[in-house]
Amino acid sequence: MAHEMKMNKKNMVVVEGSYAVAHAVKTCRPNVISAYPITPQTHIVEDLSKFMADGEIPNCEYINVESEFSALSALVGSSAVGARSYSATTSQGLELMHEVLFNVAGMRLPIVMTVTNRAVSAPINIWNDQQDSISQRDTGWIQLYAENIQEVSDMTAQAFKISEDRDIMMPSMTCMDGFILSHVYEPLILLEQDITDEFLPPFKPERTLDPKNPLTFGAFADPHFYTEFRYQQECAMQKALKKIESVADEFYDMYGRYFGGLIDEYHTEDADIIIMAMGSIIGTIKDVIDRLREKNVKVGLLKVRAFRPFPAEAIMKVIRDAKVVVVLDKNISLGMNAGALFIETKSILYNTDITVPVIGYMIGQGGRDIPMSTIERIIAEAEEVIISGIKKESQFTDLKEELI
Amino acid sequence: MKEIRIHGRGGQGSVTAAELLAVAAFADGKFSQAFPAFGVERRGAPVQAFTRINDTPIRLRSQIYEPDYVIVQDPTLLESVDVASGLKDDGVLIINSDFDPEKFKLDTKAKIMTVNATKIALDIIGMPIVNTVLLGAFAGATGEIRPESIMEAVRERFPGKVGDRNAQAIMKAYEMMEGQK
């Protein structure tokens, strides 16, 4: 559902993206925070630590740990006893959590974690791409990607509400491009406490770890039971498709802000060329589209907000009548020569009556800047595909041949 | 949209200057965006920071390649960095230097202006920290922003005496550049 935004400039402040997230976390009234600092997530945990030291987050414990593995492990315990639990990490830190990520999802613990998307070593690189979270695709975490700091701030409250829903009970990653969004100063409306208290009531899980009523979480499921646990996780993910939409609508009704549900659209109605992408690149693409629309290029944008669960139906509806679909990926599945969003998009179209050609570009790896001219060139190549068909299905963007 | 690129060395407060400029521009009723050029920060290494100022919300996330204005905190950067790169012909390049603008032979049609921000900073703030001083010079040279908004943004970030002295230095640089226009 499309919505008109009602944002009053008078309520906006200029702050850093990391502060906006830390403030949003505080406003969601967490009970336990545990995180290990790592660039470019550091400012989030510094701001949260300061809020804690100043006594601004009541009924909350901040657990200092020696690694990301321990940070998320600590939250397994806290979430299981019914505490609203939050963490933030990136890159190597997220990869170190890999094993625990499965445990969190398997135990159906609605932890919310901000990922300040960053490239993965080696070679070491602290800059932005989305390889880190995309590599955790199959762990059972809901993954939402934000376009600007307003969206990632608002998404924090939405993620808790989606995850803690009794029909869902799955953890969420709210993904923001490292540096590009974590370190940008721009105006936003900080998450409002009064509305949030109404939007996000205290976390009251059906079952908790309690010595008086002993239960076991995630202990053992032999071959008789294991499949059914996995099946139920998948059912929850499928239910999350509707929940992500309804929570975004409810958020709009209460706060007046909307950045899409599973997806969002920009000039797609009559578009011959539809670009698909996730994260902060969305804004740049919108500016390029405005420029090209003046020259009567029929180009539109499909912003993918939820990568897991994957919004297959919503995507198919939008791209059905396009002449070419261009998918931009800030990640690579090595050995497939393609990015994950491209691979998923192609896969949902097989066995359907949709025959639109799909091409993919791996872009912005390790923080390589994405100027408007790069997007314009890609769109020009897509126009060629309409005329003479696909020449190259998936490719690296702006490759410096002279360095190879 | 107006795009500003700030060149400095790690530790000179280029990123802070870009941020304060964004805060001040928003206070002036504009939309703004500030971000660093994401280097591996080391004291003394050349760094860049960017600010965009616009009448409508800013969506563009790329770095700035064709700035309207460039601010150079340290003139020795000119030996190693092409500070005029992409600068628009009708733009302005502000250098912290006690030399006259004519001394600088740069590959640009843009107007070059100089201000001895180091002296102003030493005289008024008592430390050779020039980032806020150069924001005052920017306001005076370009008229893009009210000096009061910059002073307010600086006072908010650095309360008390430090902020007051910075504000005084900002006004001094503003007036000097206003006079040169």
Side-chain angles (χ1 to χ4, degrees):
Chain A
M1 201 194 308
H3 296 289
E4 183 103 1
M5 290 248 247
K6 303 168 206 161
M7 285 169 67
N8 190 344
K9 210 173 162 193
K10 276 193 195 130
N11 299 328
M12 295 178 123
V13 290
V14 177
V15 297
E16 194 191 46
S18 293
Y19 178 86
V21 168
H23 181 276
V25 171
K26 175 181 86 158
T27 307
C28 289
R29 300 193 186 279
N31 304 116
V32 176
I33 299 168
S34 188
Y36 190 77
I38 174 170
T39 302
Q41 155 265 35
T42 323
H43 290 184
I44 296 174
V45 296
E46 283 175 359
D47 287 334
L48 283 171
S49 302
K50 188 166 185 301
F51 287 143
M52 284 299 298
D54 293 345
E56 287 184 46
I57 316 181
N59 303 316
C60 185
E61 284 285 333
Y62 192 115
I63 306 176
N64 281 312
V65 285
E66 87 298 343
S67 76
E68 287 85 359
F69 189 96
S70 297
L72 195 56
S73 297
L75 296 189
V76 168
S78 65
S79 186
V81 300
R84 181 171 285 159
S85 302
Y86 172 84
S87 191
T89 191
T90 181
S91 184
Q92 309 308 121
L94 183 60
E95 308 317 325
L96 187 58
M97 287 178 177
H98 183 66
E99 179 189 333
V100 195
L101 292 173
F102 280 103
N103 278 310
V104 170
M107 288 187 233
R108 311 294 295 273
L109 301 172
I111 295 167
V112 170
M113 179 159 67
T114 304
V115 177
T116 57
N117 286 113
R118 172 187 141 178
V120 179
S121 298
I124 193 163
N125 178 296
I126 58 164
W127 292 270
N128 165 247
D129 66 30
Q130 294 167 350
Q131 191 68 53
D132 52 357
S133 55
I134 293 293
S135 298
Q136 305 300 343
R137 183 188 66 175
D138 298 335
T139 55
W141 283 60
I142 293 164
Q143 285 193 5
L144 305 172
Y145 289 80
E147 146 182 14
N148 55 39
I149 73 170
Q150 182 75 65
E151 184 177 12
V152 71
S153 165
D154 294 352
M155 193 181 264
T156 309
Q158 294 181 11
F160 276 115
K161 196 172 176 74
I162 296 160
S163 286
E164 292 174 3
D165 188 280
R166 288 191 179 182
D167 287 338
I168 314 290
M169 292 298 282
M170 295 291 271
S172 289
M173 281 180 207
T174 54
C175 303
M176 65 193 297
D177 282 331
F179 285 117
I180 299 172
L181 294 186
S182 63
H183 286 54
V184 74
Y185 271 67
E186 64 185 17
L188 90 157
I189 298 173
L190 293 168
L191 198 64
E192 302 89 334
Q193 189 69 67
D194 51 343
I195 312 176
T196 304
D197 285 342
E198 208 184 315
F199 176 78
L200 184 67
F203 174 40
K204 290 218 173 71
E206 266 175 293
R207 292 174 195 83
T208 55
L209 271 189
D210 177 1
K212 285 182 210 134
N213 298 292
L215 282 175
T216 302
F217 277 56
F220 192 71
D222 70 17
H224 286 296
F225 303 107
Y226 185 77
T227 305
E228 286 66 31
F229 275 96
R230 298 293 279 168
Y231 173 74
Q232 284 179 303
Q233 278 181 272
E234 181 55 35
C235 291
M237 275 295 199
Q238 292 306 318
K239 283 180 188 162
L241 285 169
K242 277 202 178 117
K243 198 73 203 171
I244 291 166
E245 292 277 8
S246 68
V247 165
D249 289 340
E250 201 180 322
F251 189 95
Y252 173 75
D253 290 341
M254 294 177 71
Y255 296 80
R257 300 190 292 272
Y258 184 80
F259 290 93
L262 293 165
I263 62 164
D264 203 11
E265 297 172 59
Y266 191 72
H267 290 302
T268 49
E269 327 75 58
D270 63 339
D272 292 335
I273 304 164
I274 291 181
I275 307 175
M276 288 175 61
M278 307 195 289
S280 66
I281 193 179
I282 294 297
T284 305
I285 298 171
K286 284 178 177 171
D287 273 11
V288 172
I289 288 174
D290 282 3
R291 220 189 244 184
L292 292 176
R293 281 270 165 184
E294 279 175 24
K295 297 177 193 161
N296 296 317
V297 180
K298 285 190 174 175
V299 55
L301 167 73
L302 193 170
K303 161 176 153 180
V304 177
R305 205 165 165 267
F307 181 67
R308 278 295 180 273
F310 196 70
E313 271 181 46
I315 291 170
M316 284 195 274
K317 219 165 140 190
V318 176
I319 64 176
R320 172 171 289 278
D321 298 320
K323 291 183 180 157
V324 62
V325 173
V326 184
V327 186
L328 307 185
D329 269 290
K330 283 188 173 182
N331 70 87
I332 310 161
S333 180
L334 294 175
M336 191 69 181
N337 191 34
L341 186 58
F342 170 76
I343 297 168
E344 315 286 47
T345 302
K346 256 181 69 180
S347 84
I348 60 169
L349 299 180
Y350 200 79
N351 293 340
T352 72
D353 60 343
I354 303 170
T355 55
V356 59
V358 182
I359 54 171
Y361 289 84
M362 292 165 277
I363 194 168
Q365 264 76 38
R368 181 157 299 174
D369 196 37
I370 306 168
M372 289 171 90
S373 55
T374 295
I375 309 281
E376 283 173 337
R377 185 176 53 74
I378 287 171
I379 293 169
E381 287 175 14
E383 287 182 289
E384 283 298 311
V385 170
I386 297 175
I387 298 162
S388 47
I390 295 176
K391 296 245 160 52
K392 226 175 186 180
E393 202 186 24
S394 173
Q395 59 189 293
F396 283 76
T397 310
D398 293 340
L399 207 56
K400 294 180 183 171
E401 300 285 353
E402 72 275 16
L403 294 182
I404 302 162
Chain B
M1 181 143 67
K2 297 292 181 193
E3 297 185 310
I4 301 116
R5 189 171 67 211
I6 302 173
H7 292 273
R9 292 190 181 277
Q12 282 188 319
S14 303
V15 177
T16 304
E19 291 164 3
L20 291 168
L21 194 53
V23 171
F26 186 74
D28 263 2
K30 303 280 178 62
F31 284 93
S32 58
Q33 176 199 60
F35 56 102
F38 323 133
V40 179
E41 288 81 0
R42 281 170 295 133
R43 200 160 271 274
V47 298
Q48 289 178 38
F50 307 100
T51 306
R52 291 191 168 99
I53 301 173
N54 201 21
D55 291 329
T56 55
I58 298 163
R59 304 180 298 195
L60 182 61
R61 298 280 172 197
S62 73
Q63 294 185 14
I64 291 172
Y65 297 96
E66 292 174 0
D68 298 274
Y69 305 110
V70 170
I71 298 170
V72 183
Q73 299 215 64
D74 177 351
T76 66
L77 281 168
L78 269 60
E79 294 161 22
S80 56
V81 181
D82 181 11
V83 296
S85 171
L87 178 59
K88 291 198 178 110
D89 289 349
D90 59 352
V92 180
L93 193 151
I94 302 164
I95 306 172
N96 169 27
S97 170
D98 56 352
F99 289 138
D100 289 335
E102 296 74 40
K103 288 260 183 198
F104 295 95
K105 303 287 175 240
L106 292 168
D107 186 18
T108 178
K109 290 182 181 133
K111 185 177 181 184
I112 299 173
M113 295 177 84
T114 56
V115 59
N116 193 346
T118 306
K119 183 173 188 310
I120 297 173
L122 283 170
D123 288 351
I124 300 174
I125 306 170
M127 281 191 295
I129 298 188
V130 297
N131 59 346
T132 55
V133 185
L134 284 163
L135 292 183
F138 171 79
T142 68
E144 291 288 353
I145 196 156
R146 294 184 318 121
E148 291 81 10
S149 301
I150 294 173
M151 291 192 285
E152 201 180 304
V154 170
R155 278 204 180 101
E156 204 178 302
R157 176 76 74 101
F158 307 104
K161 228 180 227 171
V162 179
D164 290 342
R165 283 186 189 149
N166 272 276
Q168 224 184 312
I170 286 164
M171 206 57 204
K172 170 91 179 163
Y174 171 79
E175 282 163 357
M176 281 173 72
M177 291 308 249
E178 266 264 284
Q180 272 188 54
K181 261 206 294 193

